[in-house]
Amino acid sequence: MSDINHLVRLYRGEEEFLRYSSFELSSPKYLLETAKSLLNTIPPFLGGCALLSAVWADELKTKFNIPAIVVAGHLSILGKRLFECKSNIPTPNAENQFSDQSWDGHCWIEIDGFIGDLSIFRSAYNLNFPNIFTEYIKTNFGLGRGALITPYNEIPCGIEYEAKYILTDNQIHGLAGGLWNLVASGKLFMP
């Protein structure tokens, strides 16, 4: 947890760090409620961890005043790194500007010792070739799961999240706005 606190202070500033670190989540029900709503609203697509995490954090903040943070970092399954985060997500520097920079990390949310990942199951279920990720998820969770929401100290054995960056409000709003535009336009699809 201390690494997260350091990263929150570094990327979000002292005020956001104090708000984040002092917040107590009375119940994960708001995490569950927003996760279910988003998964029912947004069609499945690959590569959506940053978009889904940004929308989720934004919904939690807007609807319930929960200061969830979006974390970017590495994701490993059974010791094999599936997503390696070498840099933070590009930040838009002008309204309605698009970035063509590539990024290959993983994103999730964290709040008061809980971790939430809306894309882990969708990604694993929709890979159409033999791989350790899909096999691990199907063996340990089965089919039809929606979101991984768990206390950080209870992350299932074999899954490792390694925080590297915390997203700013500009990054979150850019990603969330982009996802809602894709949903509204009907342009989300599985490759």
Side-chain angles (χ1 to χ4, degrees):
M1 269 320 230
S2 63
D3 287 344
I4 284 296
N5 287 334
H6 167 74
L7 290 173
V8 172
R9 181 178 268 139
L10 180 65
Y11 289 98
R12 304 282 308 191
E14 189 67 23
E15 186 177 323
E16 283 291 315
F17 162 73
L18 292 172
R19 184 164 186 255
Y20 173 79
S21 64
S22 66
F23 182 82
E24 293 183 19
L25 188 65
S26 59
S27 164
K29 76 176 187 174
Y30 298 117
L31 300 178
L32 296 167
E33 182 181 309
T34 52
K36 186 180 284 188
S37 174
L38 291 170
L39 290 172
N40 286 331
T41 304
I42 300 167
F45 64 101
L46 287 175
C49 65
L51 298 168
L52 289 167
S53 296
V55 164
W56 197 6
D58 193 49
E59 292 274 311
L60 288 166
K61 184 176 183 179
T62 303
K63 291 183 177 177
F64 304 110
N65 202 29
I66 295 174
I69 58 167
V70 178
V71 182
H74 307 316
L75 175 64
S76 299
I77 299 291
L78 299 174
K80 179 175 174 37
R81 185 164 289 158
L82 301 178
F83 298 98
E84 185 166 6
C85 186
K86 296 178 182 174
S87 65
N88 203 343
I89 291 177
T91 303
N93 56 18
E95 195 165 322
N96 296 324
Q97 181 183 19
F98 294 92
S99 172
D100 62 357
Q101 296 177 346
S102 63
W103 183 80
D104 195 27
H106 187 67
C107 284
W108 60 92
I109 67 164
E110 292 194 25
I111 185 64
D112 192 28
F114 279 85
I115 188 167
D117 190 340
L118 288 181
S119 69
I120 192 167
F121 297 118
R122 284 182 166 195
S123 293
Y125 297 148
N126 289 296
L127 294 175
N128 296 322
F129 53 88
N131 64 83
I132 191 171
F133 181 33
T134 300
E135 187 61 35
Y136 173 85
I137 294 296
K138 286 181 178 178
T139 300
N140 291 279
F141 298 96
L143 295 173
R145 301 299 288 261
L148 177 66
I149 302 171
T150 186
Y152 197 84
N153 61 355
E154 295 178 20
I155 294 172
C157 184
I159 300 176
E160 182 184 350
Y161 291 90
E162 185 180 341
K164 301 303 273 180
Y165 305 94
I166 304 297
L167 274 60
T168 65
D169 283 341
N170 282 345
Q171 291 167 309
I172 291 168
H173 293 143
L175 291 165
L179 178 55
W180 288 127
N181 283 337
L182 288 171
V183 170
S185 70
K187 292 183 180 176
L188 281 180
F189 62 91
M190 292 297 295

